[in-house]
């Protein structure tokens, strides 16, 4: 596999992809969020009616929503699954626990909408489509640990929650002052971790499709290796982080 890439998923951008040549693509979630909110309002209206006709329309609406999500994931995965690539994806196991947001009465309307959209969108389905299409293109998808991908500076390695002011779109390293789009930071960290997977594959002849970090010692060892990774100028000719293509 001559090309190594990393893919970060989320709701502001359903996917952000970058490779080691810093060719990046952002796949906006704006339209998906807008449609999801429309579906939610329509469901609430039908549920309040409670008639047989409303129930039939509710079932049909759910089917349309599932097809919409599947179609968007299909389109994104088709763009990401490029030939001759090793594609790094986050291991999403326990992702909802690691990204807990306020809920119930403590949550604002904006936070409730964000939680609803995050719970509804099928990132596992998107990963499955990428894996399937990668195999068709002579490529492979592999899972890497998702710990601290949005908090670790790809330039100096410093890891801190403070690197993401207000959990916004701007990443600013409190150690080296490196600034970049936060989702692109995540994709870069995933790409570097994927490169490490390829290096291990080359040296051992064994490809781990999902490294085991369930044990405390194993997790500490893996995270220590990740902390030593750096996004170098050799693999990043365009250091501005400006996406070269969009979705």
């Amino acid at each position: 596999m001559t090309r190594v890439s990393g893919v970060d998923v989320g709701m502001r951008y359903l996917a952000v992809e970058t490779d080691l040549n810093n060719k990046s693509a952002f796949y906006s979630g704006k339209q998906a969020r807008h449609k999801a909110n429309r579906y939610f309002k329509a469901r609430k209206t039908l549920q309040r009616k409670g008639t047989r006709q409303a129930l039939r329309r509710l079932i049909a609406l759910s089917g349309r929503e599932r097809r919409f999500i599947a179609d968007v994931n299909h389109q994104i995965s088709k763009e990401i699954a490029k030939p001759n690539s090793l594609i790094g994806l986050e291991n999403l196991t326990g992702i909802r626990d690691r990204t807990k947001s306020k809920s119930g009465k403590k949550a604002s309307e904006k936070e409730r909408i964000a939680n609803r959209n995050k719970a509804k969108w099928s990132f596992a389905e998107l990963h499955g489509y990428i894996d399937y299409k990668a195999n068709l293109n002579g490529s492979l998808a592999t899972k890497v640990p998702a710990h601290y991908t949005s908090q670790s500076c790809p330039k100096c390695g410093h890891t801190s929650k403070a690197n993401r002011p207000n959990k916004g779109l701007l990443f600013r390293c409190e150690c080296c002052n490196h600034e970049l789009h936060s989702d692109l930071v995540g994709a870069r960290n995933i790409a570097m971790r994927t490169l490490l997977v390829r290096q291990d594959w080359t040296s051992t002849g064994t490809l781990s499709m999902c490294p085991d970090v369930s044990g405390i010692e194993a997790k500490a060892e893996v995270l220590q290796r990740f902390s030593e990774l750096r996004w170098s100028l050799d693999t990043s000719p365009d250091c501005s982080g400006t996406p070269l293509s969009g979705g």
Side-chain angles (χ1 to χ4, degrees):
M1 306 291 171
T2 59
R3 180 178 178 273
V4 173
S5 67
V7 180
D8 181 75
V9 298
M11 281 310 303
R12 285 172 298 198
Y13 291 93
L14 296 176
V16 175
E17 177 201 18
T18 191
D19 64 19
L20 297 182
N21 291 319
N22 203 28
K23 291 185 178 179
S24 307
F26 286 63
Y27 301 91
S28 175
K30 185 175 182 180
Q31 182 187 8
R33 292 195 305 271
H34 177 67
K35 275 208 171 187
N37 291 331
R38 283 177 57 192
Y39 281 125
F40 174 76
K41 290 175 182 177
R43 278 198 305 273
K44 283 187 69 174
T45 300
L46 292 171
Q47 286 167 351
R48 278 198 296 265
K49 286 184 177 181
T51 63
R52 286 186 179 181
Q53 184 179 5
L55 179 60
R56 284 196 296 268
R57 290 182 62 188
L58 192 60
I59 293 171
L61 187 72
S62 297
R64 284 200 300 273
E65 185 173 16
R66 283 195 302 271
R67 288 192 295 274
F68 165 70
I69 292 172
D71 182 62
V72 173
N73 283 336
H74 165 71
Q75 297 298 331
I76 294 173
S77 63
K78 189 167 65 173
E79 293 293 325
I80 289 174
K82 297 175 179 67
N84 201 27
S85 299
L86 182 62
I87 304 164
L89 308 172
E90 290 176 289
N91 184 354
L92 296 178
T93 303
I95 192 69
R96 300 202 193 284
D97 293 330
R98 294 200 301 273
T99 58
K100 277 185 176 178
S101 304
K102 289 181 181 178
S103 58
K105 294 181 179 179
K106 294 181 179 180
S108 65
E109 178 64 19
K110 186 177 180 180
E111 287 170 330
R112 284 196 293 271
I113 292 173
N115 289 339
R116 190 170 69 231
N117 290 339
K118 185 166 62 177
K120 195 72 179 176
W121 200 267
S122 181
F123 294 114
E125 179 185 69
L126 175 57
H127 278 185
Y129 283 177
I130 292 171
D131 184 36
Y132 171 72
K133 289 180 172 61
N135 283 313
L136 293 179
N137 281 342
S139 298
L140 283 174
T142 186
K143 296 289 182 70
V144 300
H147 303 84
Y148 314 122
T149 52
S150 66
Q151 299 175 15
S152 298
C153 178
K155 186 176 180 181
C156 75
H158 177 69
T159 301
S160 171
K161 288 183 179 179
N163 289 344
R164 289 280 306 280
N166 302 316
K167 295 184 179 180
L169 289 174
L170 176 66
F171 177 97
R172 181 188 294 116
C173 179
E174 63 177 2
C175 182
C176 72
N177 294 319
H178 180 57
E179 291 188 358
L180 199 65
H181 192 290
S182 59
D183 293 338
L184 184 55
V185 165
R188 283 187 174 186
N189 282 321
I190 295 166
M192 288 192 292
R193 295 178 184 191
T194 307
L195 178 62
L196 201 60
V197 170
R198 190 180 72 171
Q199 290 172 348
D200 289 345
W201 182 16
T202 302
S203 62
T204 65
T206 302
L207 175 63
S208 175
M209 299 308 293
C210 188
D212 181 16
V213 292
S214 56
I216 295 175
E217 290 184 3
K219 178 182 175 181
E221 181 182 349
V222 168
L223 292 181
Q224 176 60 37
R225 293 185 73 195
F226 290 162
S227 71
E228 297 167 0
L229 296 171
R230 300 289 184 272
W231 190 270
S232 72
L233 292 176
D234 293 336
T235 59
S236 181
D238 176 8
C239 298
S240 66
T242 303
L244 302 183
S245 60

